[in-house]
Amino acid sequence: MVNNDKKRTLGALADSRMREKGLDSKHLAKKLNVTPQAVNKWRRGDAIPNSDILPKLAAELGLSVDELLTGEPQPIESKAEGRLESKIKSLTSNTATSISVTIGALMAFIALYVTCTINLLFSDCAMPFLGHLLWTIVSAVCAFGGVFLMLWGLHVGKKNEIRKDEED
């Protein structure tokens, strides 16, 4: 059984957040699929939503369930949203670094391969100079692009490690 203090805390916080957000009981009730009378009971502190509705109510009010029940602000790191956001950021930066280094290395390898096979590909060509020039340009672009991607990926990875160390 939920004590009366929790009901009053939830009611006062829900009421103030609804006023801040310009939500009325009918609108919130419709979003949560409950009656406006149920919302009014929560606002007065006469009742508390069941466990199925509590997370939805917290989300509508822009709070965590802990904040809604305790009335105390929670730091973003302790909220599920904050933990998920930091996980996504770390995965994104690590993934971008890995992909750019891999693609860069692949491009540099292709450039080396192309350079080594120019004579084999165009030795029988009617205009060998044009073929050599074309493949030299392609291999130079691949080489420079590959080196750029590798360096950029390593730079981003190093910058993310430094930022992560500063946060810890």
Side-chain angles (χ1 to χ4, degrees):
M1 191 80 189
V2 178
N3 67 28
N4 287 333
D5 288 339
K6 284 211 191 270
K7 288 179 187 176
R8 279 192 293 269
T9 300
L10 184 138
L13 187 55
D15 186 54
S16 69
R17 286 303 278 235
M18 285 175 67
R19 289 176 197 268
E20 285 174 19
K21 292 184 166 278
L23 294 172
D24 64 356
S25 296
K26 287 181 184 178
H27 180 75
L28 188 60
K30 186 175 180 181
K31 283 189 155 197
L32 299 175
N33 202 24
V34 297
T35 64
Q37 292 81 9
V39 174
N40 287 329
K41 283 184 180 180
W42 304 336
R43 290 177 84 170
R44 288 191 308 267
D46 293 341
I48 194 165
N50 67 32
S51 60
D52 293 340
I53 296 174
L54 201 55
K56 294 174 189 173
L57 175 62
E60 287 295 324
L61 299 177
L63 300 167
S64 70
V65 173
D66 288 342
E67 286 173 312
L68 193 56
L69 291 175
T70 64
E72 297 175 14
Q74 302 291 317
I76 189 72
E77 295 82 27
S78 67
K79 293 182 184 178
E81 301 89 353
R83 292 190 306 269
L84 181 60
E85 183 180 331
S86 67
K87 222 16 140 177
I88 289 171
K89 282 181 182 177
S90 73
L91 284 176
T92 304
S93 62
N94 292 341
T95 303
T97 299
S98 300
I99 288 173
S100 62
V101 169
T102 303
I103 291 174
L106 185 61
M107 287 176 72
F109 172 76
I110 289 170
L112 181 62
Y113 177 78
V114 167
T115 303
C116 292
T117 59
I118 286 175
N119 288 329
L120 294 173
L121 292 173
F122 293 103
S123 60
D124 296 333
C125 186
M127 297 175 52
F129 174 74
L130 187 59
H132 287 293
L133 181 63
L134 177 67
W135 280 101
T136 302
I137 291 170
V138 168
S139 64
V141 167
C142 281
F144 289 126
V147 169
F148 173 78
L149 275 175
M150 284 191 299
L151 293 176
W152 178 78
L154 293 173
H155 171 74
V156 169
K158 181 83 72 183
K159 195 164 68 170
N160 287 333
E161 284 179 25
I162 292 170
R163 188 174 7 164
K164 190 175 177 181
D165 288 342
E166 288 175 355
E167 289 175 0
D168 293 340

